[in-house]
Amino acid sequence: MAMALPLAYASSVVHPFEAGRLSFSTKATKHKKQIYQFRNVTKVLAYYGLTNPPYKLDALEPYMSRRTLELHWGNIHRGYSDSLNKQLANSPLYGCTMEELIKTTFNNGNPLPEYNNAAEVWNHDFFWESMQPNGGRLPWGGVLDQIEKDFGSFSNFRDEFVHSAMMLFGSGWVWLVLKTNERRLLIVRTSNALCPLVWGDIPIISLDMWEHAYYLDYKDDVSKYVNNFMDHLISWHSATTRMVRAEAFVNLGEPKIPVA
Amino acid sequence: MALRTLFSKKAFTTASGFRPIAAGDRCFLRQARGLTVAALPDLAYDYGALEPAISGEIMRLHHQKHHQAYVTNYNNALEQLETAVAKGDASAVVRLQSAIKFNGGGHINHSIFWKNLKPVNEGGGEPPHSTLGWAIDTDFCSLEALVQKMNAEGAALQGSGWVWLALDKGSKKLCVETTANQDPLVTKGANLVPLLGIDVWEHAYYLQYKNVRPDYLKNIWKVINWKYASEVFDEETA
């Protein structure tokens, strides 16, 4: 899956929680050369390649069908990626990792035209990795401890997550984020393409609540979709990896070291 | 049925003839407490009558599930609002506003939408004439230009929402507007009257057109009920 690459390609400091994404942004940042007719001009463009989900498209059956993934990843996610690259062909934005691109184009609440595409590309990457075949069930270790600390119990967290998803009006996402300032986990809902990265928070798990994510499989039965996600799809492995990286930035308290 | 329409918030005229099994049977009346509730309106045509522009499956789900959910949740929110107002609980009143706006807006918008559609063999897709036709030519140069504009705005809308052909009551001019989520048209201007609304939420087309929203927009014009739009236009400009 995501491997850390040598940092030689990075044009900026790479945060550990972005390191896992390094393979997507720097490996994919290519240079395009365009030779014009009358003079040799090299045009350097930013380009972000579409990454594959870390499992085969039918691996999430029966909770998310192959057809859904074919359309969701193959058409919709790919569409955002292509649109983004088309926009970047004429844009001064260059040399950013995906996260930097999102924060820059968000422009403190006045988003630039590239924001929507950039955020949706990242959001969908994050979403594919938030799921796994044979997922669901319970987290363990540090993640479970933190959830129990911040929500009381895992079932409280689960109920709150499902409730938050059901209360979303319109298109959007539901996130489990680690709030950097409050130093705790929180469940947030965002609309359309909004991503908690823009507030400096660290997302741990996301759920796509746009209708295209579930309509083919569940029609209007949103509650079944969300419950299946919690019970069978959510990848606590990814959550653990992301929490480990996040702890490099957010002090979650002293570790419980047993005293001899 | 007559009792239900009498006490429903909006009295919807239903054409005689084919009528699907009314999901509105599930609505309950609370006239005993003086609270008028919203009711799911019947469609004036079969679910399958708009094929192939819009599939029967989509129409059935859209009407029986989505619109019904908006009606139910709107009524619930209204009931909670009544309680909160009676108790003088201002924070509860304010907290309920988003649910009322969303579900009430969904009910309003979809009620207009069902009237905006008509099967082809009953006049769906027939272009507008006389007053509305001339107004379109004046304000948009041609019907094709209007359709193109609405399709472009509908396709460009990010997330969920509606694209409207609106009449500005003040200036008597037509305009194209979009609203997000289930916001009714009046949120874009108190003077705006909806003539036509096209639902560009994914539930309105995903099963049939998948993510290709432009195809849906291109095809829906074949079943648009311009007669209704003309009637509203004439009424407002009289």
Side-chain angles (χ1 to χ4, degrees):
Chain A
M1 216 188 78
M3 297 293 175
L5 285 185
L7 295 183
Y9 293 112
S11 56
S12 54
V13 173
V14 178
H15 298 293
F17 76 84
E18 294 172 352
R21 314 208 57 69
L22 203 56
S23 61
F24 307 120
S25 43
T26 56
K27 186 158 85 174
T29 303
K30 296 180 186 124
H31 300 295
K32 272 190 187 162
K33 291 193 176 149
Q34 280 178 330
I35 316 287
Y36 288 100
Q37 198 176 5
F38 298 109
R39 50 195 179 121
N40 266 359
V41 171
T42 344
K43 197 170 172 200
V44 171
L45 303 169
Y47 178 88
Y48 295 87
L50 179 71
T51 57
N52 292 18
Y55 34 76
K56 284 206 157 71
L57 295 185
D58 58 2
L60 298 180
E61 301 249 9
Y63 309 107
M64 193 174 278
S65 65
R66 185 177 60 88
R67 186 76 183 123
T68 297
L69 277 169
E70 273 174 8
L71 290 167
H72 198 175
W73 170 73
N75 287 8
I76 295 177
H77 189 184
R78 191 186 299 274
Y80 284 124
S81 177
D82 291 343
S83 305
L84 176 64
N85 289 325
K86 237 192 296 225
Q87 281 177 321
L88 288 176
N90 297 314
S91 158
L93 294 160
Y94 172 76
C96 306
T97 62
M98 203 47 129
E99 289 80 3
E100 287 171 350
L101 186 66
I102 291 173
K103 286 183 196 163
T104 315
T105 51
F106 184 65
N107 201 15
N108 283 318
N110 240 330
L112 304 177
E114 294 89 352
Y115 170 73
N116 196 64
N117 288 324
E120 281 292 82
V121 170
W122 189 90
N123 288 344
H124 281 93
D125 272 338
F126 192 84
F127 178 51
W128 305 137
E129 289 167 16
S130 298
M131 296 190 291
Q132 65 171 76
N134 277 324
R137 292 183 296 278
L138 291 173
W140 57 88
V143 175
L144 184 58
D145 288 343
Q146 191 64 36
I147 285 178
E148 285 176 345
K149 182 163 162 231
D150 292 329
F151 294 99
S153 70
F154 178 75
S155 66
N156 280 356
F157 154 75
R158 191 191 182 287
D159 291 342
E160 212 181 296
F161 196 91
V162 171
H163 176 78
S164 191
M166 303 298 296
M167 290 306 291
L168 181 70
F169 293 155
S171 305
W173 301 76
V174 186
W175 306 82
L176 173 65
V177 283
L178 183 63
K179 303 284 284 179
T180 37
N181 288 336
E182 290 98 342
R183 288 182 289 164
R184 55 155 295 160
L185 288 173
L186 201 64
I187 296 171
V188 297
R189 271 198 305 267
T190 59
S191 282
N192 293 356
L194 193 58
C195 172
L197 284 179
V198 303
W199 306 312
D201 293 329
I202 303 171
I204 304 293
I205 286 285
S206 80
L207 173 59
D208 190 350
M209 292 302 297
W210 284 60
E211 282 174 328
H212 61 235
Y214 61 85
Y215 212 76
L216 288 180
D217 297 332
Y218 298 95
K219 308 285 189 309
D220 68 302
D221 197 350
V222 184
S223 133
K224 194 151 166 239
Y225 166 61
V226 181
N227 280 299
N228 274 347
F229 173 80
M230 294 303 293
D231 294 334
H232 302 286
L233 289 177
I234 197 170
S235 172
W236 291 116
H237 285 283
S238 296
T240 310
T241 321
R242 291 162 179 167
M243 275 290 277
V244 166
R245 292 191 205 115
E247 287 190 56
F249 288 90
V250 180
N251 183 358
L252 290 174
E254 293 295 322
K256 282 201 286 268
I257 301 172
V259 177
Chain B
M1 282 309 119
L3 188 66
R4 180 175 63 75
T5 50
L6 197 63
F7 283 97
S8 62
K9 207 156 196 282
K10 293 173 192 266
F12 291 100
T13 53
T14 55
S16 60
F18 309 111
R19 199 166 305 157
I21 300 166
D25 291 336
R26 286 186 228 114
C27 284
F28 30 79
L29 297 174
R30 289 192 215 91
Q31 79 269 32
R33 284 190 4 230
L35 178 71
T36 38
V37 294
L40 184 72
D42 290 333
L43 298 187
Y45 38 82
D46 275 342
Y47 288 134
L50 300 178
E51 302 225 2
I54 306 179
S55 72
E57 194 191 5
I58 289 184
M59 289 303 293
R60 186 183 55 81
L61 281 167
H62 207 170
H63 183 245
Q64 281 183 356
K65 295 286 166 76
H66 292 277
H67 192 174
Q68 179 64 72
Y70 291 130
V71 168
T72 311
N73 293 334
Y74 176 56
N75 288 336
N76 287 343
L78 277 187
E79 203 182 319
Q80 289 176 37
L81 180 70
E82 206 203 8
T83 319
V85 168
K87 278 200 303 198
D89 188 350
S91 60
V93 169
V94 172
R95 193 176 29 88
L96 286 164
Q97 295 310 309
S98 66
I100 290 174
K101 182 181 182 196
F102 180 70
N103 292 298
H107 174 50
I108 294 169
N109 295 340
H110 285 88
S111 304
I112 299 170
F113 189 49
W114 307 136
K115 287 187 275 188
N116 283 152
L117 301 172
K118 208 140 181 74
V120 177
N121 57 11
E122 289 179 37
E126 241 181 64
H129 305 294
S130 68
T131 44
L132 180 57
W134 300 328
I136 289 176
D137 288 338
T138 314
D139 292 329
F140 297 102
C141 292
S142 69
L143 181 62
E144 287 74 36
L146 167 63
V147 168
Q148 212 174 12
K149 179 153 200 237
M150 283 187 76
N151 287 354
E153 301 229 355
L157 194 147
Q158 283 167 11
S160 310
W162 291 74
V163 58
W164 303 93
L165 172 63
L167 168 69
D168 187 322
K169 265 194 297 198
S171 65
K172 301 285 193 267
K173 285 201 126 344
L174 296 172
C175 55
V176 172
E177 283 289 346
T178 55
T179 53
N181 298 339
Q182 293 295 354
D183 295 352
L185 182 61
V186 291
T187 55
K188 278 291 173 90
N191 267 338
L192 294 177
V193 175
L195 301 179
L196 285 182
I198 300 180
D199 190 352
V200 289
W201 279 63
E202 282 167 335
H203 63 235
Y205 61 88
Y206 202 75
L207 288 178
Q208 187 179 353
Y209 294 95
K210 307 298 184 294
N211 64 304
V212 193
R213 194 191 279 177
D215 280 355
Y216 159 70
L217 289 167
K218 208 165 47 142
N219 283 315
I220 198 174
W221 292 103
K222 300 181 186 149
V223 289
I224 285 285
N225 185 5
W226 282 107
K227 212 157 92 133
Y228 169 77
S230 293
E231 284 166 17
V232 177
F233 180 78
D234 291 335
E235 208 182 296
E236 292 292 339
T237 51

